[in-house]
Amino acid sequence: MIPISAVFALGLCLFCIGLLGVLIRKNLIIMLMSLELLLNGVNVILAGLGYHLRSPRGSIFAVFVIIVAVSEAAVGFALVLSYFRQKKTYDPDEINDLKG
Amino acid sequence: MPAVIAFAVFIFFAVLAVVSAVLVILQKNVMHSVLYLAFTVLAVAGVFFCLEAEYLGAIQLLVYGGGIVVLYIFVIIIANLKETVAEKRGLIPRLFIIAVPALLLLEAAAVLLGNKGAFPAGRGGRPGFVPLAEMLLSTYLVPFEVASILLLAVLIGAIIVARRKLLHDPD
């Protein structure tokens, strides 16, 4: 039996590493990758709770999280490609077209 | 499988996942980052198998390992990310950036340690595929269908956003 606290620790570590990556990096692709890490951490906690509570709901919620993560990755890449085609830059600090 | 061995395998995959996740955000080369991301994804799939979520592990391997990582590699090849942005920041922003995840981690750990008895383990055997499938297609049928509509919208939206606009092409 795997203790639930170990699962929480792993999920929190993955989440915080992903959050750190989103905040600290200035490369749009690596920022998107860190978002995947963040969602993976959430999935680990959901799966661990399903295992701990003996319920299939953990897996079901994690499947929905995966679906949303895939959608986010696809739309994010489309936006990055389209933006790069227009502006020829990947610097997130330069992306301020909507700034009033 | 004895409980000790299961826990040892879990710890192995967990350490693998955390180490490669740290390496993802530390790489200078984006391609190396993607390879470490693939490593992290596989390790997390191993964690799912340890947690008896076989369906989730299989989905993780198929969707992440087979789909998203390849999508990342294609985007990096297409976009040709040779030039990198200088990652220079002042001391104060850097401190804030590191403090936010660290404080979040500490706060969550404090809350969880403070409520140690708040998660009583469920009873019964392991939930296999059959209860999962029945619950997914009965109780959670509406979110399931909404997810399919979301995927269709994403398919169309991504094509529309990412396509090249050829103004002089009659097609």
Side-chain angles (χ1 to χ4, degrees), chain B residues 72-141:
Chain B
Y72 273 98
I73 292 174
F74 269 116
V75 167
I76 290 166
I77 291 171
I78 290 170
N80 195 11
L81 272 165
K82 280 283 155 45
E83 54 174 312
T84 51
V85 182
E87 315 229 351
K88 287 209 175 117
R89 280 200 178 90
L91 182 64
I92 303 292
R94 194 173 298 173
L95 276 182
F96 267 106
I97 285 170
I98 295 177
V100 168
L103 285 179
L104 181 68
L105 189 60
L106 281 180
E107 184 189 353
V111 168
L112 288 175
L113 287 179
N115 299 316
K116 225 170 167 46
F119 303 106
R123 281 179 297 280
R126 50 175 304 192
F129 276 119
V130 178
L132 188 148
E134 277 172 357
M135 194 179 273
L136 183 62
L137 292 178
S138 60
T139 314
Y140 295 98
L141 183 63

Side-chain angles (χ1 to χ4, degrees), chain B residues 25-105:
Chain B
I25 67 168
L26 290 182
Q27 295 301 310
K28 284 239 184 301
N29 190 331
V30 188
M31 209 51 132
H32 296 174
S33 235
V34 174
L35 292 179
Y36 282 117
L37 179 73
F39 214 76
T40 313
V41 163
L42 296 184
V44 171
V47 168
F48 287 156
F49 284 120
C50 290
L51 292 173
E52 297 178 354
E54 290 90 357
Y55 180 68
L56 208 52
I59 291 288
Q60 173 95 353
L61 283 179
L62 286 173
V63 173
Y64 273 95
I68 292 190
V69 170
V70 176
L71 183 66
Y72 273 98
I73 292 174
F74 269 116
V75 167
I76 290 166
I77 291 171
I78 290 170
N80 195 11
L81 272 165
K82 280 283 155 45
E83 54 174 312
T84 51
V85 182
E87 315 229 351
K88 287 209 175 117
R89 280 200 178 90
L91 182 64
I92 303 292
R94 194 173 298 173
L95 276 182
F96 267 106
I97 285 170
I98 295 177
V100 168
L103 285 179
L104 181 68
L105 189 60

Side-chain angles (χ1 to χ4, degrees), chain A residues 1 3 23-27 29 32-33 36 40 51-52 54 57 59 62 69-71 77 82 85 90-91, chain B residues 3 7 25 27 30 34 51-52 56 60 63-64 72 79 81 87-89 119 122 125-126 140 154 162:
Chain A
M1 190 78 188
L23 291 174
I24 215 170
R25 293 305 300 249
K26 287 198 175 182
N27 187 318
I29 305 280
L32 281 174
M33 266 187 247
E36 303 292 337
N40 255 319
Y51 170 75
H52 185 71
R54 298 279 161 203
R57 284 196 175 82
S59 290
V70 169
S71 315
F77 277 138
S82 149
R85 212 172 273 142
Y90 277 116
D91 190 351
Chain B
F7 188 53
I25 67 168
Q27 295 301 310
V30 188
V34 174
L51 292 173
E52 297 178 354
L56 208 52
Q60 173 95 353
V63 173
Y64 273 95
Y72 273 98
L81 272 165
E87 315 229 351
K88 287 209 175 117
R89 280 200 178 90
F119 303 106
R126 50 175 304 192
Y140 295 98
V154 164

